[in-house]
């Protein structure tokens, strides 16, 4: 662990509790890593405008942020508007996926990321589920331009039903991650947190064996496998835990803290 030079950290359910709180101990752990010269990279499904605010809240003013499950990479820079500059974005044509899913899930809510601003939405999402501005648009408007991320919210569906639906309609040109029981994220095919982190690793000149990743969700599986040491949170599903090299405590136990401290030891 003493050779770790890049630490990739998921946000929700890993650094941040489900009610939006980052503990003082987590903040201290991140600050200690930065002071020791470790590259701390926030890697999240959140949009870039939200991901960079979390990074700023953690005291990170330089370095990289991986957002939108790997479709967007930003470089933190306090001299840039909003405190960051876009380094890389990967998009896909959301039209086929949107139209197919709209037929299968007529009551679902759809959102397409409006980069750096918020989301275009088929209908307003419940409070606090999406960050940034929400602009209501028709399905044709949602499908009109290349997108970094599409969100599907269907409260009456389960993760198992989402998986079966994606397989049934053949949405293999996009990478998808099923979140909580009503949530599906679609990103460009082959794009994950891991693919974006690999680019960041190379740019920073960090060796593959000097990497560690910590996460709790299905969108973290590739990242945990990518890292030399992948650590799953204790409350993660069996799928996520099996992708990791080890398991730490739950979010309720602030399980990230021990991992952050151990990097320095």
């Amino acid at each position: 662990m003493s050779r770790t030079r890049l630490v990739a950290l998921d946000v929700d359910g890993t650094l941040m509790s489900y009610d939006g709180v980052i503990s003082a101990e987590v903040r201290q752990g991140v600050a200690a890593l930065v002071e020791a010269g470790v590259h701390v990279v926030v890697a999240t499904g959140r949009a870039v405008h939200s991901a960079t605010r979390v990074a700023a809240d953690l005291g990170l003013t330089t370095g990289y942020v991986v957002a939108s499950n790997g479709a967007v990479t930003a470089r933190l820079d306090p001299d840039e508007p909003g405190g960051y500059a876009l380094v890389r974005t990967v998009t896909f044509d959301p039209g086929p996926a949107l139209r197919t899913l709209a037929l299968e899930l007529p009551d679902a809510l759809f959102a397409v990321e409006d980069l750096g601003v918020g989301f275009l939405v088929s209908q307003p999402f419940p409070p606090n589920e999406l960050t940034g501005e929400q602009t209501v648009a028709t399905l044709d408007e949602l499908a009109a331009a290349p997108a970094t991320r599409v969100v599907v919210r269907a409260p009456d569906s389960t993760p198992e039903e989402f998986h079966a639906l994606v397989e049934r309609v053949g949405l293999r040109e996009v990478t998808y991650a099923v979140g909580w029981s009503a949530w599906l994220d679609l990103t460009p095919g082959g794009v994950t947190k891991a693919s974006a982190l690999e680019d960041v690793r190379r740019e920073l000149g960090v060796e593959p064996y000097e990497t560690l990743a910590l996460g709790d969700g299905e969108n973290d599986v590739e990242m945990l496998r990518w890292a030399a040491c992948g650590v799953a949170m204790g409350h993660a599903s069996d799928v996520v835990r099996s992708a990791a090299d080890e398991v730490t405590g739950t979010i309720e136990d602030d399980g990230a803290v021990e991992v952050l401290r151990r990097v320095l030891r």
Side-chain angles (χ1 to χ4, degrees):
M1 300 290 285
S2 62
R3 298 185 66 86
T4 300
R5 293 183 55 220
L6 188 159
V7 174
L9 300 170
D10 174 51
V11 176
D12 299 282
T14 300
L15 298 183
M16 183 182 290
S17 67
Y18 295 115
D19 54 0
V21 176
I22 300 177
S23 72
E25 290 77 10
V26 166
R27 296 175 189 277
Q28 291 164 5
V30 169
L33 290 181
V34 173
E35 186 176 355
V38 176
H39 300 288
V40 176
V41 180
V42 170
T44 176
R46 288 179 176 233
V48 68
H49 61 269
S50 176
T52 51
R53 287 173 191 157
V54 172
D57 188 36
L58 287 166
L60 302 174
T61 56
T62 60
Y64 291 87
V65 166
V66 169
S68 300
N69 290 320
V72 179
T73 302
R75 176 177 50 82
L76 297 172
D77 185 342
D79 294 328
E80 291 284 347
Y84 69 92
L86 294 177
V87 172
R88 187 179 299 103
T89 59
V90 187
T91 62
F92 71 104
D93 177 5
L98 280 170
R99 293 187 176 95
T100 300
L101 291 172
L103 288 173
E104 295 282 339
L105 300 168
D107 296 325
L109 302 182
F110 299 94
V112 173
E113 186 173 10
D114 186 4
L115 197 58
V117 178
F119 292 85
L120 301 179
V121 297
S122 59
Q123 297 178 51
F125 274 55
N128 303 319
E129 288 193 2
L130 293 178
T131 59
E133 298 178 12
Q134 293 187 39
T135 302
V136 176
T138 66
L139 190 66
D140 286 342
E141 289 171 331
L142 294 178
T148 51
R149 177 182 172 214
V150 170
V151 175
V152 184
R153 185 189 189 279
D156 295 330
S157 295
T158 66
E160 292 75 21
E161 289 170 335
F162 265 150
H163 280 300
L165 172 60
V166 170
E167 292 299 319
R168 185 170 73 252
V169 301
L171 292 178
R172 294 183 177 84
E173 75 275 12
V174 294
T175 298
Y176 64 94
V178 178
W180 54 288
S181 62
W183 196 277
L184 175 68
D185 267 5
L186 301 173
T187 49
V191 172
T192 65
K193 292 183 183 183
S195 64
L197 285 166
E198 177 62 13
D199 289 337
V200 170
R201 179 192 70 77
R202 292 173 181 269
E203 288 167 3
L204 292 173
V206 173
E207 296 293 338
Y209 62 82
E210 296 175 319
T211 57
L212 178 144
L214 175 63
D216 76 309
E218 288 194 20
N219 60 338
D220 296 317
V221 166
E222 292 87 355
M223 177 177 77
L224 297 178
R225 291 173 176 158
W226 164 84
C229 180
V231 185
M233 296 293 288
H235 59 277
S237 69
D238 290 341
V239 171
V240 178
R241 291 160 67 100
S242 65
D245 298 294
E246 58 184 82
V247 178
T248 187
T250 67
I251 186 64
E252 290 80 8
D253 301 328
D254 231 356
V257 174
E258 174 56 28
V259 179
L260 300 175
R261 290 173 177 169
R262 192 152 48 100
V263 171
L264 294 177
R265 295 202 299 268

